[in-house]
Amino acid sequence: MATSYDHEDAVGYDDIGGRQEQQPDQGYDPNFVPDSVKTFVVHLYRHIREKNVYEIHQMYEGSFQKLSDRMFKESPWPSVDAVAPYVDNDHVFCLLYREMWFRHLYARLSPTLRQRIDSWDNYCSLFQVVLHGVVNMQLPNQWLWDMVDEFVYQFQSFCQYRAKMKNKTEQEIALLRQYDQAWNVYGVLNYLQALVEKSMIIQILEQEKEGLEQFTATDGYDYSGGSNVLKVLGYFSMVGLLRVHCLLGDYHTGLKCLLPIDISQSGVYTSVIGSHITTIYHYGFANLMLRRYVDAIREFNKILLYIYKTKNYHQKSPQYEQILKKNEQMYALLAICLSLCPQVKLVEENVNSQLREKYGEKMIRMQRYDEEAYSLYDELFSYACPKFITPSAPIYEEPLVNYNQDAYRLQLKLFLYEVKQQQLLSGVRTFLKLYSTISIGKLATYMEVDEPTLRTILMTYKHKTHAVGSDGKIISNADVDFYINDDMLHVVESKSAKRYGDYFMRQIVKLEEIINDMDRVKLE
Amino acid sequence: MGREREVPKQPASYTVEQLVAVNPYNPDILPDLENHVNEQVSLQTYSLDTNLCLLRLYQFEPERMSTQIVARILVKALMAMPAPDFSLCLFLIPERVQMEEQFKTLVVLSHYLETARFRQFWDEAAKNRHILEVVPGFEQAIQEYAIHVLSLTYQKVPRPVLAEAINIEGLSLDKFLEHQVAECGWALEKGHGRGQLIVLPRNEFNQPELKKNTADRIPLEHITRIFPILG
């Protein structure tokens, strides 16, 4: 379990343990600016000043990656001081450049503690500038999402790094103590929260429902000369907060942070694939931990289908590997949800066949509830869970130990505890599917337990399949249900309610499209 | 940096809930939150959000943690069943703290409730009065949870099953039933031969016919999408 868990979240992010600090590349001169980089920053700077979102996006997604692949595969980009003269020493541009500089460093090399601290400082300066409203730019959603995403990632990475205390040098420890505010959990949460509040995004989304404001319709962009930066950063920060809270094991609060975003519809969060996946992955995971399996299954199903259909389209994207990794993890989480709550009819055909291919055999074994089944739950959970963190600093006065696995072990343990409590339910299910009525005595004999025990198992079944929703109402997640009248158990057939309404709606739209197409055809 | 947001000068009208809503990540409100836990205990109220906020602050600064307060939060969370609040709290409490005797006991109690083993639960609870007695209303809250699970499961429940679940017997049970019949729509029946049956109020979980057929409704917003076509 621990081995699979040890992998970093992002593919290509090397182990950030204490011993593998980056060795300065022999050939790297931070002050040397190749011509292609000169051209890159000059153009990017110009496009930003001209608010040409399309060109900014091209350079950000395309040129930056290409140059990185060609020239900076194993070394950092030129230092910000070296490029500053080419961009009028523009303060905000330099902050943006450094943000990309660090992101590239984190992705391709291993940051030193010093660099981690500097990157934190850079985020502070950048967010301060944004929060004080002096930014008058229009940046692509992809870039703004990447900022929030990377900010949370670097926080997570820092907590993991700090928790591995055993091999730290005295110098590192001194630095950690000196800069104890760097990546401090209060700081991280308060920046995200401040972005949400200052941007007024919650009010904007509220007003949009009443038609008083446009946000979703323009994908967050501002076409009347304003800036989209604060608004969209605030928007993505809600997803950032969901993720941080999940990393801390605070699922209830995480979901609360996401409430202003209506995930039953597409929105700005779906305009960037990375944000779409991060949102649903954490939403689903939090619901799984809250035992709201049906909610988790529904959303996993939707996004897995979406990825299935659009995978080829993203093949060239720099996020492709990350998409595939999260895709696999969400199949594992779906397998867990369906093993605890077999509502297979909620899963679309293509997703289901992918799921069977990947986990079909394991899912059968997970129904058995023996030692092997537990180890499978353990394996899938460990593979697919977020990279939990301990947010507090080590106690330097005590002998230094590694505590980077503590948070993960606790969440795993509590999850397996839940699995154990549900261990007899799959047996009940099997029998419920065979009978329409059966006496308690008979069922007890079949299940090889005494009557009082059977009654507790049946009540457990009811309790575990009836979740308490966010509004406090009881929601049934039961695939097969029953009720007991004295000594007789009556099984309630779950009629799968076909939703003809949606079907007809879709067909109406389709027919209209076909008719339009046919109208366009000119018969010669 | 980071802690730049200040606790607003507290006008007397500020509730702790509002305080948390404005300062979800402010370490300075920790004492207010601790007081609020004690208030919930004495006034028999409950606020999951402020309790989670406090556990979060403890998680950020473990040296400030009061295990006595944590224990009270957990007892309160047990009383909130069937909601999963107890697990929500445990997710935030470091494992080494959970190793303490009183927390182990609470985890066992929660386990019995989660698996509807009420007899074991009441036995165990009786042995640990010192932890539970501090919080008034505990017994009654658990009885309400037991009745909730019974109502999900049974249309008619045999008297001994009910007695065991709510830990009331004999004359006290008669009195309890009398009250429930008068106030909560319960009814009593004679079982075939052996003792009494209690008819629990009908709900959509023990009476599937009551389940509203909401499956095939289309919200107006969806219809509006095809307006242009219909027009």
Side-chain angles (χ1 to χ4, degrees):
Chain A
M1 69 188 188
T3 44
S4 63
Y5 183 75
D6 254 345
H7 289 302
E8 271 298 318
D9 239 358
V11 179
Y13 281 46
D14 278 320
D15 176 54
I16 29 185
R19 291 304 80 223
Q20 301 189 5
E21 300 287 78
Q22 163 218 354
Q23 296 298 318
D25 194 289
Q26 296 301 319
Y28 174 63
D29 173 5
N31 295 315
F32 173 66
V33 185
D35 284 343
S36 47
V37 173
K38 247 179 254 173
T39 318
F40 174 79
V41 291
V42 167
H43 280 96
L44 183 60
Y45 179 52
R46 201 185 71 213
H47 293 318
I48 289 178
R49 274 195 328 195
E50 290 169 359
K51 296 194 177 173
N52 187 337
V53 179
Y54 177 79
E55 286 299 335
I56 300 170
H57 190 260
Q58 294 300 314
M59 296 201 69
Y60 173 79
E61 277 275 278
S63 316
F64 187 74
Q65 294 303 330
K66 262 183 234 140
L67 283 175
S68 296
D69 281 342
R70 218 171 62 216
M71 312 180 62
F72 307 106
K73 243 190 156 85
E74 274 145 32
S75 68
W77 274 61
S79 75
V80 67
D81 296 334
V83 302
Y86 304 107
V87 293
D88 307 338
N89 288 302
D90 186 272
H91 180 52
V92 179
F93 184 87
C94 286
L95 292 173
L96 290 172
Y97 179 83
R98 273 193 106 201
E99 200 269 339
M100 289 166 72
W101 190 92
F102 280 115
R103 186 135 40 94
H104 169 262
L105 177 90
Y106 269 80
R108 309 227 171 193
L109 310 153
S110 317
T112 63
L113 176 53
R114 188 76 244 180
Q115 286 166 333
R116 291 172 187 278
I117 295 168
D118 288 344
S119 178
W120 162 255
D121 281 341
N122 192 61
Y123 274 115
C124 292
S125 312
L126 182 60
F127 289 156
Q128 295 285 5
V129 169
V130 173
L131 285 169
H132 289 105
V134 280
V135 172
N136 184 27
M137 298 180 297
Q138 188 96 256
L139 294 180
N141 284 349
Q142 175 74 51
W143 194 349
L144 295 168
W145 162 252
D146 286 345
M147 273 182 217
V148 175
D149 188 45
E150 181 72 9
F151 179 65
V152 176
Y153 169 74
Q154 290 191 16
F155 165 62
Q156 168 202 308
S157 166
F158 181 86
C159 290
Q160 297 288 346
Y161 161 85
R162 182 178 56 186
K164 291 179 192 157
M165 284 306 287
K166 259 188 171 160
N167 307 315
K168 294 270 183 292
T169 62
E170 269 177 44
Q171 198 195 357
E172 282 173 310
I173 292 174
L175 215 54
L176 275 175
R177 299 183 74 155
Q178 186 188 348
Y179 294 96
D180 63 340
Q181 290 304 302
W183 297 111
N184 176 292
V185 62
Y186 288 114
V188 170
L189 286 167
N190 277 323
Y191 270 121
L192 293 172
Q193 176 75 11
L195 287 167
V196 174
E197 281 173 16
K198 256 280 165 61
S199 65
M200 307 280 284
I201 187 64
I202 296 177
Q203 292 81 346
I204 291 175
L205 292 174
E206 243 349 278
Q207 291 191 324
E208 190 180 40
K209 277 186 211 152
E210 290 155 37
L212 300 170
E213 185 94 43
Q214 279 208 334
F215 182 76
T216 313
T218 61
D219 264 349
Y221 292 109
D222 192 321
Y223 292 114
S224 47
S227 163
N228 69 334
V229 174
L230 177 58
K231 268 193 289 189
V232 177
L233 275 181
Y235 180 91
F236 286 137
S237 291
M238 294 190 282
V239 181
L241 282 170
L242 165 68
R243 178 166 164 206
V244 173
H245 282 297
C246 282
L247 292 175
L248 294 167
D250 192 350
Y251 310 109
H252 173 84
T253 310
L255 288 176
K256 251 182 107 171
C257 294
L258 192 69
L259 269 184
I261 300 180
D262 177 5
I263 60 154
S264 69
Q265 300 187 23
S266 55
V268 175
Y269 77 100
T270 55
S271 68
V272 178
I273 179 80
S275 134
H276 191 181
I277 290 178
T278 301
T279 307
I280 301 303
Y281 166 81
H282 289 95
Y283 172 89
F285 187 81
N287 274 298
L288 162 64
M289 296 304 268
L290 286 168
R291 278 201 327 247
R292 297 184 197 145
Y293 304 117
V294 166
D295 290 332
I297 293 169
R298 271 212 188 94
E299 292 305 322
F300 281 143
N301 172 58
K302 264 185 2 207
I303 191 143
L304 289 170
L305 182 63
Y306 176 77
I307 298 174
Y308 178 81
K309 285 184 172 165
T310 59
K311 207 155 62 181
N312 295 333
Y313 173 76
H314 294 288
Q315 223 150 17
K316 289 203 183 94
S317 140
Q319 289 89 28
Y320 188 60
E321 280 187 67
Q322 187 60 11
I323 293 171
L324 289 188
K325 163 108 187 193
K326 277 277 168 280
N327 187 55
E328 293 302 310
Q329 286 184 319
M330 287 192 287
Y331 272 109
L333 293 176
L334 184 60
I336 291 177
C337 289
L338 287 171
S339 300
L340 294 171
C341 172
Q343 295 267 31
V344 187
K345 60 177 186 287
L346 296 175
V347 181
E348 194 273 343
E349 239 171 89
N350 287 305
V351 175
N352 197 29
S353 72
Q354 292 275 307
L355 178 73
R356 299 295 146 184
E357 206 174 286
K358 293 173 202 290
Y359 292 109
E361 192 240 347
K362 281 185 178 165
M363 284 173 75
I364 293 169
R365 285 190 281 155
M366 281 159 86
Q367 291 300 321
R368 285 213 294 259
Y369 287 96
D370 47 15
E371 277 311 308
E372 196 206 356
Y374 284 118
S375 68
L376 284 172
Y377 274 103
D378 181 327
E379 178 193 319
L380 262 57
F381 182 90
S382 302
Y383 166 69
C385 69
K387 214 161 165 49
F388 299 111
I389 50 171
T390 303
S392 55
I395 307 163
Y396 298 104
E397 290 72 27
E398 285 174 17
L400 297 172
V401 290
N402 286 350
Y403 59 97
N404 55 312
Q405 298 259 319
D406 288 9
Y408 149 69
R409 271 198 297 260
L410 174 63
Q411 304 301 316
L412 173 67
K413 182 179 136 181
L414 293 172
F415 168 74
L416 289 177
Y417 210 65
E418 180 63 46
V419 172
K420 205 154 227 162
Q421 288 176 353
Q422 302 199 25
Q423 65 180 326
L424 297 169
L425 304 190
S426 68
V428 175
R429 254 185 209 106
T430 317
F431 285 107
L432 290 183
K433 280 181 188 152
L434 295 178
Y435 294 90
S436 54
T437 53
I438 183 171
S439 76
I440 297 284
K442 208 158 137 196
L443 185 55
T445 321
Y446 290 157
M447 289 193 61
E448 297 171 6
V449 291
D450 59 23
E451 274 193 40
T453 309
L454 176 64
R455 286 185 192 270
T456 65
I457 295 172
L458 291 170
M459 282 193 279
T460 309
Y461 181 90
K462 278 287 193 172
H463 169 54
K464 295 292 189 187
T465 53
H466 289 74
V468 182
S470 43
D471 51 0
K473 278 207 194 102
I474 304 292
I475 309 155
S476 170
N477 286 336
D479 49 324
V480 218
D481 213 345
F482 67 87
Y483 60 87
I484 304 172
N485 205 337
D486 189 10
D487 282 336
M488 199 48 105
L489 186 147
H490 300 258
V491 177
V492 180
E493 258 187 87
S494 60
K495 273 171 258 151
S496 60
K498 278 254 166 73
R499 308 200 54 158
Y500 296 109
D502 272 350
Y503 179 77
F504 278 122
M505 297 273 293
R506 272 201 307 272
Q507 297 308 317
I508 289 170
V509 176
K510 246 190 206 160
L511 179 66
E512 181 68 13
E513 277 167 15
I514 292 171
I515 291 174
N516 282 341
D517 283 348
M518 280 166 43
D519 281 348
R520 271 198 295 274
V521 176
K522 288 204 183 84
L523 292 174
E524 299 282 317
Chain B
M1 170 199 56
R3 301 189 185 184
E4 58 200 345
R5 279 136 37 81
E6 282 163 26
V7 188
K9 303 277 171 295
Q10 241 182 296
S13 58
Y14 252 110
T15 67
V16 182
E17 279 81 4
Q18 286 168 322
L19 203 60
V20 169
V22 188
N23 304 267
Y25 315 114
N26 186 330
D28 300 338
I29 64 171
L30 188 137
D32 295 294
L33 293 172
E34 288 184 331
N35 288 336
H36 191 51
V37 173
N38 291 327
E39 221 171 81
Q40 291 171 51
V41 169
S42 56
L43 300 178
Q44 303 208 29
T45 55
Y46 183 59
S47 162
L48 174 67
D49 283 333
T50 63
N51 291 352
L52 286 179
C53 182
L54 177 57
L55 291 176
R56 184 160 70 220
L57 297 181
Y58 285 157
Q59 188 191 27
F60 297 170
E61 298 174 87
E63 65 281 3
R64 295 176 79 183
M65 178 185 286
S66 149
T67 49
Q68 191 207 24
I69 295 284
V70 174
R72 291 182 176 191
I73 291 177
L74 285 176
V75 176
K76 275 292 197 183
L78 273 188
M79 292 162 66
M81 291 207 48
D85 298 11
F86 190 81
S87 311
L88 294 185
C89 294
L90 281 193
F91 288 138
L92 297 176
I93 302 169
E95 204 170 359
R96 74 190 142 68
V97 178
Q98 294 188 24
M99 286 301 140
E100 267 184 45
E101 216 43 56
Q102 56 174 341
F103 298 126
K104 278 196 200 155
T105 305
L106 288 171
V107 169
V108 169
L109 287 173
S110 139
H111 181 68
Y112 287 147
L113 289 180
E114 285 286 341
T115 51
R117 279 184 265 178
F118 292 108
R119 181 151 35 94
Q120 282 107 316
F121 170 83
W122 291 113
D123 289 350
E124 193 64 28
K127 281 185 238 156
N128 292 284
R129 287 232 174 79
H130 59 285
I131 306 174
L132 307 170
E133 256 171 8
V134 195
V135 183
F138 180 76
E139 224 167 90
Q140 203 197 337
I142 303 300
Q143 283 163 346
E144 275 167 29
Y145 163 68
I147 290 170
H148 158 80
V149 180
L150 287 170
S151 322
L152 290 182
T153 314
Y154 289 93
Q155 284 183 352
K156 295 176 188 176
V157 57
R159 181 178 163 116
V161 175
L162 172 72
E164 185 180 287
I166 61 175
N167 201 32
I168 306 179
E169 281 169 332
L171 281 177
S172 325
L173 183 56
D174 289 335
K175 253 184 114 177
F176 176 82
L177 288 174
E178 208 175 290
H179 175 262
Q180 295 296 105
V181 168
E183 303 285 329
C184 305
W186 292 21
L188 306 178
E189 248 179 38
K190 251 186 96 62
H192 38 276
R194 332 165 274 108
Q196 208 171 26
L197 278 179
I198 290 96
V199 186
L200 296 171
R202 292 144 49 97
N203 60 56
E204 60 174 288
F205 307 107
N206 67 12
Q207 197 90 28
E209 307 88 87
L210 290 181
K211 206 167 191 173
K212 280 178 222 88
N213 199 2
T214 52
D216 211 15
R217 270 187 216 163
I218 307 175
L220 186 63
E221 301 107 86
H222 291 187
I223 306 267
T224 55
R225 278 183 220 154
I226 60 163
F227 274 4
I229 299 172
L230 300 175

